[in-house]
Amino acid sequence: MKTGTTISAAAHVGVLLWAVLVFDVKPLENAGAESIPVDFISATDFSKMTEGVKNAQKQEAPKPLVEKQAERKPVTEQAPKITEKQEIVTASTNTPPPEPQKAEPKPKPEPTPPEKTEKVEKKEPEPKADPIAEALKKEEKKNKEEDKPTEAKAEAKPVPLPQKKPPQPKQPKFDPSQVAALLDKRDPARHAATGETINRTASLGAPGAEAPELSQSELDALRARLIQLWNPPIGIRNAGDMIIRVRMLLRPDGTLAGPPSVLTSGRGAMYESARDSAIRAIFRGQPFNMLKPQTYETWKDIEVTFDPRDMLFRG
Amino acid sequence: MNPADVAQSALPVSADLSIFGLFLQAHWVVKLVMVGLLVCSVWVWAIAIDKTLLFNRTRRAMDRFEQAFWSGQSLEELYRSLSSRPTHSMAALFVAAMREWKRSFEGQARSFAGLQMRIDKVMDVTIAREIERLERRLLVLATVGSAGPFIGLFGTVWGIMNSFQSIAASKNTSLAVVAPGIAEALFATAIGLVAAIPATIFYNKFVAEVNKQSQRLEGFADEFSAILSRQIDERG
C-alpha cells in the first residue's frame, strides 16, 4: 500500500504542476461582428432618395445629382489665423513705437514701419471660415483700402503710425451699423444640389425609390386619415369597380379651396353611396394638418384614390 | 453602461484564470470540495496501483504453485517447504488443507469420519480470507466512482450560486463578470470527474479480477478436496 500511495501522490503532484504550467488561459480571439456604419434617416429622407431616370446608364454606385460644386473650406488654416490676430491685438507691439519717435534718431524708426505694414497686410488675406467673420472682414477690408494711401505715406514717415493703430482694438466691438453685414446676402431663391463633383446626369437611382415631391409619411398620413373617415357601403361585390379618384384643391392651411371633384365614374346606388361617402370623408377630414406648409406647392392640387380593397386589407 | 467601463472593470476580474488562480478565488466550501476530491483522487490511484501489483503478484504465485503442485512432486515435501513461511492464495489453501490432514493422521485417535468435511471447511475459510484480502479497499473505489461526480456537482452548484449572488450584488451581467465565477465552479465538477472516472474503471476491472481469482481458488480447492477424498477412501 505504501508504494501505491507514494506513486499516486507523486503522480498527482506532477500532473498538477504540469497543469499549472501548461494550462495558461489565452483570451479568445475576438473575431466579433464587422462593424456596419449605420445612418439614421427619417421616413421623409427615405422617400426623397434619388429618383432614377429609367434610361440612365448603369453605374456601380448611384451618385446624387450635383449641380454645383461645393466649396472646399480650408479647415486647417483656422489655427494660424487665431494666433496672428492675437499678435496684433496685444498692446506690446503698439506701445513701443511712440517712444522711438521721441528719443531715437531717424535710422531706427525706418525698419519698424515695414514690420507693421507687413503685419497689417498679412491680416488682410486671411482665409474666410464663417460667413459672419467673412462679412466683418469685408467691411474692415474696405476701411483698410481707404486707409491704404495713408499707409503708403506711413512707410515714408513713421509718425502717423500710432494714429492708424487705434481702430484695431475696436474690432471685437459690436457695431449696430454693421448688422447688415451679418446678414446672409446669398440669393435665397434656389439652392442647387451641391457636392464635391458636378454630376449633371441622374443615375438609375435606387430601386423602388420614388422621390415624390410629397414625402411618403405625409401621403400616408393623409391616406390614413381619409380611409379612416370613409365608410363605403357594406357588401360591395366588385370592389375593383368601386375605386374612386377625387381631385382636391387645398389652401396652405390644409383646408379645401373648393369642392372636390370626382374623376372616376360609375353606376349604381352602391357606387353613388361610396362616392358620396368619400366626398364626405374629405370634407370631414380637413384641415389636413399632416401636409407641411413648406411643401404646399406639391399638394395644393392633389388626387386621392379611395380603393375599397385597401379597406379590406386594413381589416 | 459605457463599454470602456465594462472593459476596465472586466480586466482585474479576468486577470487570473489559471488553475491555481481558479482555486484561490473559489469560495471556501468549493475549496473544501476541491481539496477533498483531490485527496480522493490520490487515494483512488494509490489503491489502483496497489491492487494492480497485488493481483499480478497473486497470479504469478498461483502459476508458480500450480506448476509445483502438478509437477509430480511429493505433497509432503511441498507442504514442508511451504509451511515454513506465511503463504497466500493457493499455497495458503494447500497448507491449510494439508495441516488438517496431517493433524488427523498424526494424532493418537485416527478420526476419518469427519475428515473430508473438516478439510472442506478449512479450505472454505481460507478462500474467504484470501478473497477478503483481494477485495479490501475496492469499496473505496466504488464509493469515489459513484459519489465523486455528485460531490463535484455540489461544489459547482455552490460556486455558481455564489457567483450569481455576486452578479446580483454588482448589478452587472456582462460575460466578463459572470464567466470567472462559473469557470471556477465548473472546475469543481472537473476534479470530481477526474477522480471518479478512474475509480469506476478500476473498480470494474478489479471486481472482474477478484472473481477470476476466486474461481481459480475454488477450482483448486475442489480439485484438491477430490484428491484428498480419494486418499481417505484408499486408507480407510
Side-chain angles (χ1 to χ4, degrees):
Chain A
M1 197 65 214
K2 226 178 190 176
T3 47
T5 315
T6 318
I7 293 170
S8 166
H12 275 81
V13 170
V15 167
L16 272 184
L17 277 179
W18 175 76
V20 167
L21 291 179
V22 171
F23 274 88
D24 57 335
V25 177
K26 278 177 225 139
L28 289 176
E29 297 264 329
N30 188 9
E34 270 182 41
S35 59
I36 300 162
V38 174
D39 282 339
F40 286 98
I41 59 167
S42 65
T44 312
D45 289 340
F46 182 74
S47 3
K48 279 184 178 170
M49 262 161 63
T50 52
E51 181 184 27
V53 176
K54 277 194 178 150
N55 52 7
Q57 277 183 325
K58 187 167 184 182
Q59 286 175 337
E60 286 298 311
K63 285 178 197 160
L65 187 73
V66 174
E67 294 167 333
K68 187 181 163 193
Q69 205 163 4
E71 283 178 41
R72 279 182 185 274
K73 291 179 181 175
V75 185
T76 47
E77 285 178 37
Q78 282 185 338
K81 177 188 155 195
I82 291 162
T83 49
E84 255 182 34
K85 221 180 220 170
Q86 280 173 344
E87 270 177 41
I88 290 158
V89 171
T90 44
S92 58
T93 48
N94 292 343
T95 41
E99 286 176 4
Q101 283 169 24
K102 293 176 202 166
E104 299 281 323
K106 271 161 192 177
K108 182 86 197 249
E110 283 209 340
T112 48
E115 267 181 30
K116 295 282 150 55
T117 49
E118 255 177 43
K119 270 174 191 168
V120 172
E121 279 162 3
K122 230 187 246 168
K123 225 188 116 230
E124 282 165 9
E126 274 167 7
K128 276 80 196 175
D130 49 336
I132 298 174
E134 194 182 330
L136 277 172
K137 289 286 137 56
K138 266 182 196 163
E139 289 293 313
E140 224 174 4
K141 206 173 173 183
K142 276 179 199 165
N143 293 342
K144 292 279 156 56
E145 277 163 8
E146 285 168 10
D147 289 351
K148 272 244 164 123
T150 53
E151 222 172 74
K153 285 172 204 164
E155 277 192 43
K157 276 187 199 172
V159 190
L161 255 175
Q163 287 175 353
K164 198 173 69 63
K165 282 290 157 190
Q168 283 192 342
K170 194 184 74 180
Q171 186 189 340
K173 259 192 214 165
F174 175 70
D175 190 352
S177 65
Q178 288 184 343
V179 164
L182 299 176
L183 297 175
D184 189 356
K185 284 170 189 153
R186 283 175 296 185
D187 185 10
R190 183 167 169 278
H191 288 276
T194 53
E196 282 194 351
T197 52
I198 292 177
N199 177 25
R200 287 195 191 285
T201 53
S203 67
L204 269 172
E210 281 188 47
E213 296 300 312
L214 266 183
S215 84
Q216 209 63 38
S217 52
E218 286 172 66
L219 274 181
D220 282 340
L222 175 67
R223 198 172 295 140
R225 177 104 175 106
L226 292 176
I227 291 283
Q228 187 190 353
L229 292 168
W230 184 40
N231 294 310
I234 295 164
I236 294 176
R237 285 270 173 76
N238 299 318
D241 295 342
M242 289 289 170
I243 294 172
I244 297 154
R245 286 180 64 77
V246 182
R247 180 179 173 204
M248 7 181 230
L249 298 171
L250 296 168
R251 291 203 193 91
D253 59 354
T255 55
L256 285 169
S261 55
V262 179
L263 303 176
T264 50
S265 59
R267 262 178 287 151
M270 286 281 207
Y271 177 80
E272 275 167 20
S273 94
R275 186 193 60 199
D276 294 346
S277 174
I279 303 237
R280 272 199 304 280
I282 290 170
F283 276 110
R284 283 169 63 201
Q286 61 178 323
F288 301 107
N289 293 325
M290 69 289 283
L291 303 173
K292 288 174 190 150
Q294 295 94 312
T295 53
Y296 173 65
E297 285 300 314
T298 62
W299 52 263
K300 64 182 179 185
D301 181 359
I302 195 168
E303 280 179 19
V304 188
T305 307
F306 291 86
D307 190 341
R309 286 170 297 188
D310 286 353
M311 299 286 286
L312 294 177
F313 277 118
R314 273 157 211 267
Chain B
M1 201 168 179
N2 194 354
D5 292 349
V6 174
Q8 273 202 336
S9 68
L11 271 178
V13 176
S14 60
D16 196 1
L17 281 176
S18 66
I19 286 183
F20 198 60
L22 282 181
F23 174 74
L24 286 183
Q25 287 161 18
H27 191 257
W28 66 267
V29 173
V30 183
K31 267 184 201 168
L32 207 69
V33 167
M34 287 181 188
V35 170
L37 285 170
L38 199 68
V39 170
C40 280
S41 179
V42 171
W43 188 230
V44 161
W45 278 94
I47 291 171
I49 293 166
D50 184 56
K51 286 287 157 193
T52 312
L53 294 177
L54 174 68
F55 287 140
N56 284 343
R57 230 184 301 131
T58 313
R59 201 186 308 117
R60 259 182 276 118
M62 280 182 182
D63 291 346
R64 242 183 292 122
F65 177 80
E66 277 191 327
Q67 216 176 352
F69 185 80
W70 299 110
S71 64
Q73 192 183 3
S74 155
L75 293 186
E76 294 286 335
E77 273 177 37
L78 193 60
Y79 173 69
R80 243 176 281 129
S81 71
L82 286 175
S83 60
S84 54
R85 51 192 162 82
T87 50
H88 290 302
S89 68
M90 235 176 234
L93 203 61
F94 172 75
V95 168
M98 281 302 284
R99 190 180 295 132
E100 190 58 39
W101 168 271
K102 280 179 107 59
R103 265 187 208 148
S104 302
F105 274 95
E106 283 164 2
Q108 297 298 320
R110 293 194 169 189
S111 48
F112 288 117
L115 181 57
Q116 178 68 48
M117 210 175 68
R118 279 203 300 280
I119 286 173
D120 283 352
K121 277 258 187 308
V122 165
M123 286 206 290
D124 278 350
V125 169
T126 314
I127 286 173
R129 201 181 299 131
E130 286 303 310
I131 287 176
E132 196 276 330
R133 195 174 64 93
L134 290 177
E135 264 184 348
R136 199 187 305 153
R137 299 209 190 89
L138 279 193
L139 212 62
V140 175
L141 294 189
T143 310
V144 171
S146 58
F150 290 122
I151 299 172
L153 198 63
F154 167 71
T156 295
V157 168
W158 191 279
I160 287 184
M161 218 171 73
N162 205 40
S163 71
F164 271 122
Q165 281 171 347
S166 312
I167 291 160
S170 67
K171 293 189 172 61
N172 185 355
T173 55
S174 86
L175 202 58
V177 174
V178 181
I182 292 177
E184 152 210 312
L186 288 175
F187 189 44
T189 305
I191 297 181
L193 292 175
V194 161
I197 292 170
T200 312
I201 292 172
F202 281 124
Y203 177 73
N204 289 336
K205 182 176 177 289
F206 291 153
V207 164
E209 192 86 1
V210 167
N211 275 339
K212 213 162 55 181
Q213 298 207 351
S214 75
Q215 264 172 10
R216 207 171 159 186
L217 279 180
E218 268 165 25
F220 172 75
D222 287 350
E223 224 162 0
F224 192 46
S225 170
I227 292 169
L228 288 182
S229 167
R230 207 185 313 126
Q231 291 286 327
I232 291 167
D233 286 355
E234 279 172 8
R235 298 200 184 186

